[in-house]
Amino acid sequence: MKLWMPLAAATFALGLTATFAPIAFAADDIGKSKVDPVTQKTVTVAKETPMLVVGGNKLYFVDAKNRETFLKNPESFLKTPQVCPVKGSPGRANKANRAVVNDQIVYFCCTNCAMEFSKDPGILGKVKDPVTGNEFSLAAGLASASFKGSTYYFENDTNKAAFEKEPAKYAKVILQ
């Protein structure tokens, strides 16, 4: 079963760290109360609120330090089952089947599903181009690049070239 998950993407990772630049907020959540997965404190979402997309869900943090803490070991903070984008089945977040693409963390239920994604990234639906921020549909054969273990897809070759000149400028979640 294919499951559309907005802003999600994937490449295998052993660990995560992030740059200090915040990931863009979600305008539709401004003013809403969310729970920081690290401290369990309530966060009122504002434009500058640190955010991360995990399994198609937006997670908000009290501050950038909490976001960094989360990225060091996300599985320890994820309380709800993660849904495999290939099979649609819920399961425990597992570091071995974690992937990052276009700065979004995705969990697969098994290595077979991760391999299926690599053949057909369209399973995830839409992601944002890291250079322009434009949302587009993933598909096999799109321009892509790797940077520090993450995979990035692009709307076009021009954006890929810009990314490859200065990848650290655009990458927000860096794999170790």
Side-chain angles (χ1 to χ4, degrees), residues 7 24 127-136 155 159 170:
L7 304 176
V127 296
K128 286 189 177 182
D129 186 299
V131 175
T132 64
N134 293 335
E135 192 172 76
F136 67 100
E155 292 179 283
N159 293 355
Y170 301 106

Side-chain angles (χ1 to χ4, degrees), residues 20 50 61-69:
F20 292 104
F61 301 89
V62 171
D63 56 30
K65 182 179 177 186
N66 281 4
R67 184 176 181 273
E68 293 295 321
T69 299

Side-chain angles (χ1 to χ4, degrees), residues 24-100:
F25 70 98
D28 56 332
D29 286 341
I30 292 203
K32 292 182 181 177
S33 293
K34 301 291 182 175
V35 176
D36 181 317
V38 175
T39 62
Q40 301 302 307
K41 290 183 179 178
T42 301
V43 178
T44 300
V45 178
K47 183 177 180 178
E48 63 280 352
T49 303
M51 195 242 332
L52 186 64
V53 177
V54 178
N57 297 307
K58 298 171 204 132
L59 302 180
Y60 294 93
F61 301 89
V62 171
D63 56 30
K65 182 179 177 186
N66 281 4
R67 184 176 181 273
E68 293 295 321
T69 299
F70 179 88
L71 286 169
K72 289 177 184 172
N73 186 7
E75 294 79 20
S76 68
F77 299 106
L78 296 171
K79 306 295 182 206
T80 58
Q82 298 299 298
V83 177
C84 175
V86 177
K87 291 186 178 176
S89 55
R92 188 174 62 87
N94 182 332
K95 183 177 182 177
N97 294 325
R98 174 178 68 202
V100 176

Side-chain angles (χ1 to χ4, degrees), residues 157-176:
D157 290 331
T158 302
N159 293 355
K160 177 184 175 185
F163 178 88
E164 288 178 327
K165 281 184 179 179
E166 297 181 272
K169 176 180 176 180
Y170 301 106
K172 305 296 184 236
V173 174
I174 311 288
L175 304 177
Q176 295 179 346

Side-chain angles (χ1 to χ4, degrees), residues 115-126:
M115 288 188 298
E116 184 161 332
F117 167 77
S118 67
K119 294 176 191 170
D120 180 14
I123 289 168
L124 293 177
K126 295 185 177 191

